[in-house]
Amino acid sequence: MSEILGYLAVALPADASAEARLLALQCALRMNAYMRVELPAGMLRSLQIDAVEACHELEEARWLSIVADPGAARITVELRDATLLAQSPARPDRRRAADWALRSGCPARTGMTEPLLRLQAIYLTAHSDPSSREGLTEYDRLVRDCSTGDQGLHDMLSHLTVTGILAGWRICPDSGDVHWTLAPGQR
């Protein structure tokens, strides 16, 4: 999961919306060996984003092509970045990772409807040690990977603490690394 999130941080434009990033995450994890993905309406509703708009944004960024016009039943897209083929598409564990990301970013579970906060919650959870629930990353990488501004990062980490996703966080003054601990029950 952390590899795909890092890949998306580089592959998508820096100004890509959180909605587009959440959709791209699902596409990258659910694509088949032909780089196609069908996103059923129920899954798209679970994302609680404007999926049609996010598809058009990703199409403008030349990251995907819409194969079938977005309709009520599903969206079918073809991914355009061949580097994704090196990531072993269509493996069963990737489908499980996609389902995990969908559940982890679910507004009903997180209590957050803001897509950027949900994206950051997925990122921090994916980059946490499963046994200790602690995580560590470089400040600049977290800002880049989540497409968050400097001030926005502090606000979001504080909000994730208030909503119970994080037990706490801090920025190391010497290294600038961001340390966090997931709240009990997260992961």
Side-chain angles (χ1 to χ4, degrees), residues 26-37 79 81 84-91 94-95:
Q26 289 298 316
C27 288
L29 291 170
R30 293 179 187 276
M31 74 176 200
N32 65 21
Y34 303 104
M35 297 183 65
R36 280 197 173 198
V37 62
L79 306 185
D81 189 348
L84 280 167
L85 288 174
Q87 309 245 347
S88 302
R91 287 188 344 220
R94 293 173 65 89
R95 178 78 53 174

Side-chain angles (χ1 to χ4, degrees), residues 24-180:
L25 177 62
Q26 289 298 316
C27 288
L29 291 170
R30 293 179 187 276
M31 74 176 200
N32 65 21
Y34 303 104
M35 297 183 65
R36 280 197 173 198
V37 62
E38 270 192 18
L39 303 167
M43 195 219 53
L44 294 170
R45 276 192 302 276
S46 296
L47 283 173
Q48 293 191 3
I49 61 171
D50 184 342
V52 173
E53 180 63 32
C55 272
H56 288 298
E57 182 180 345
L58 293 170
E59 190 171 45
E60 286 177 19
R62 299 177 191 251
W63 191 77
L64 61 72
S65 297
I66 299 173
V67 174
D69 285 335
R74 70 186 76 252
I75 294 176
T76 304
V77 298
E78 185 171 294
L79 306 185
R80 299 179 71 181
D81 189 348
T83 58
L84 280 167
L85 288 174
Q87 309 245 347
S88 302
R91 287 188 344 220
D93 62 326
R94 293 173 65 89
R95 178 78 53 174
R96 285 190 301 273
D99 291 342
W100 174 86
L102 193 60
R103 283 189 312 277
S104 294
C106 175
R109 183 175 186 271
T110 62
M112 301 176 293
T113 57
E114 174 69 35
L116 192 52
L117 288 170
R118 294 184 351 229
L119 177 65
Q120 193 167 35
I122 292 167
Y123 182 92
L124 294 172
T125 304
H127 286 83
S128 299
D129 179 87
S131 59
S132 69
R133 297 188 335 267
E134 294 181 358
L136 166 73
T137 193
E138 298 168 357
Y139 180 91
D140 293 342
R141 181 173 180 181
L142 183 57
V143 167
R144 183 198 68 203
D145 289 0
C146 291
S147 192
T148 309
D150 282 344
Q151 186 55 42
L153 180 65
H154 289 91
D155 293 343
M156 278 193 259
L157 290 170
S158 296
H159 191 79
L160 290 172
T161 304
V162 169
T163 57
I165 302 296
L166 299 179
W169 64 277
R170 65 183 174 86
I171 298 174
C172 181
D174 297 331
S175 66
D177 290 343
V178 179
H179 299 260
W180 67 89

Side-chain angles (χ1 to χ4, degrees), residues 4-26:
I4 292 290
L5 289 165
Y7 155 77
L8 290 173
V10 174
L12 298 177
D15 62 347
S17 69
E19 291 92 342
R21 290 177 186 280
L22 287 169
L23 184 67
L25 177 62
Q26 289 298 316

